[in-house]
Amino acid sequence: MIKFAIIVLAAMGVAEAASQCGVCMANKASCETESSYHICLGENKIGPFTCDADKVCTNSENVCEQKTNIQGDTLNVCGDDNGACQTCANGKLFTCASRTQGARCVNGAMSTSIIFDCGEDEICVSEAEDIADTVCVPKCAADFIKWTATCSNDVYTPPTLEPPTTPSPTVQQSLCADAAVGKTTRFFYAYGDSSCRSYVYCERNSVSNSYFETTFAGSCSSPNPYFNTAIGRCQARVPENCSTDAPTTIAPETTTTPEPTTTTTEAPTTTTPEAQTTTTPEAQTTTTPEITTTFRPEDR
């Protein structure tokens, strides 16, 4: 019951501050959008003016502040990043991973390994952190304040990341050579692919060498799936130099496969000798001469 009362009273104060979008505030400014504002002089508004890049309109004396540095009593008056599901904007320490689960923010990103369940009959409301130092709010208090759960999913499911690329020794040499441009050290790290989840360690005998005697590849995994070549270690969020230093494409190793040789083998021709005709000579007919008997008259 005490927690209920504290959250309700604090929420009323913040609700009043959040309604200042388009209203002249104590800093004599009226935020009209997240990045534009008017100067308030009496009942008159002068402007509009625009904040510099990466800055938003706030209730601070400076009016425009870096978005990533907003915390404490300073509010992104017309912004809505505080209520985003699974995000850690504005220096937040916690965010919501599901309707009833909270998560720790690490280096400006939600940690996929530090997920916790809210209590029974509680929902996760990301914006409640700025009010009551918690993101888990009793359902009855949320209903009274007209808060709803920040996330619509019932249970957090970690994203499935494709396995990082492991470059071959030949590709490692190429990545090291590309990353060596402008470097004055014998050893350094290079990104192994465009996702910045894999890396290559590069070491040469001298700065002038174009060949790297020692190279090896490695990769990062959750909760720190991204590698930062500037500091040489894995971290939770994509490093700033990933977009500029990571290779966009990696040429695969070229393997020349010889074209198959077509050999035409003529079938051997077997000449069957013609059968020789053997003429058997006809059997000679021997005519036996008839014996002629001659009778003499005196023999009769």
Side-chain angles (χ1 to χ4, degrees), residues 20-24 29-40 45 48-49 57 77-78:
Q20 292 178 348
C21 186
V23 177
C24 288
S30 171
C31 297
E32 307 301 333
T33 67
E34 189 175 31
S35 59
S36 67
Y37 64 97
H38 285 91
I39 293 176
C40 299
K45 290 184 177 182
F49 301 94
C57 185
V77 176
C78 295

Side-chain angles (χ1 to χ4, degrees), residues 12-236:
M12 289 180 175
V14 172
E16 181 180 354
S19 66
Q20 292 178 348
C21 186
V23 177
C24 288
M25 300 175 290
N27 62 354
K28 305 298 181 182
S30 171
C31 297
E32 307 301 333
T33 67
E34 189 175 31
S35 59
S36 67
Y37 64 97
H38 285 91
I39 293 176
C40 299
L41 293 178
E43 296 181 356
N44 299 319
K45 290 184 177 182
I46 301 174
F49 301 94
T50 303
C51 294
D52 294 336
D54 299 325
K55 290 188 176 183
V56 296
C57 185
T58 72
N59 58 341
S60 75
E61 292 183 359
N62 297 327
V63 182
C64 295
E65 300 284 359
Q66 287 284 346
K67 191 172 184 177
T68 55
N69 294 337
I70 296 177
Q71 55 186 329
D73 295 333
T74 302
L75 301 174
N76 181 359
V77 176
C78 295
D80 58 1
D81 288 339
N82 281 344
C85 178
Q86 299 179 8
T87 61
C88 293
N90 303 338
K92 292 176 66 64
L93 295 177
F94 299 97
T95 187
C96 293
S98 72
R99 292 186 67 258
T100 59
Q101 292 173 298
R104 177 77 184 189
C105 294
V106 179
N107 296 326
M110 188 187 83
S111 171
T112 58
S113 62
I114 310 177
I115 309 293
F116 54 89
D117 295 325
C118 291
E120 188 177 355
D121 295 327
E122 290 186 341
I123 62 173
C124 187
V125 181
S126 183
E127 60 189 294
E129 181 191 355
D130 298 327
I131 303 167
D133 293 329
T134 182
V135 291
C136 293
V137 179
K139 185 68 168 56
C140 55
D143 290 342
F144 184 85
I145 305 169
K146 300 188 184 313
W147 275 345
T148 58
T150 298
C151 300
S152 58
N153 55 304
D154 291 327
V155 179
Y156 173 71
T157 302
T160 302
L161 298 175
E162 293 184 3
T165 303
T166 302
S168 67
T170 302
V171 175
Q172 290 176 30
Q173 284 288 332
S174 176
L175 292 171
C176 288
D178 291 341
V181 177
K183 287 188 170 57
T184 58
T185 57
R186 290 179 43 242
F187 46 87
F188 52 86
Y189 290 96
Y191 287 116
D193 58 22
S194 58
S195 71
C196 297
R197 296 179 56 224
S198 67
Y199 61 90
V200 178
Y201 173 78
C202 312
E203 184 175 338
R204 52 191 171 179
N205 286 340
S206 69
V207 176
S208 60
N209 267 17
S210 59
Y211 179 78
F212 294 83
E213 285 73 18
T214 302
T215 66
F216 63 82
S219 60
C220 299
S221 58
S222 186
N224 298 307
Y226 302 102
F227 190 80
N228 188 329
T229 57
I231 59 177
R233 65 170 180 260
C234 299
Q235 61 185 45

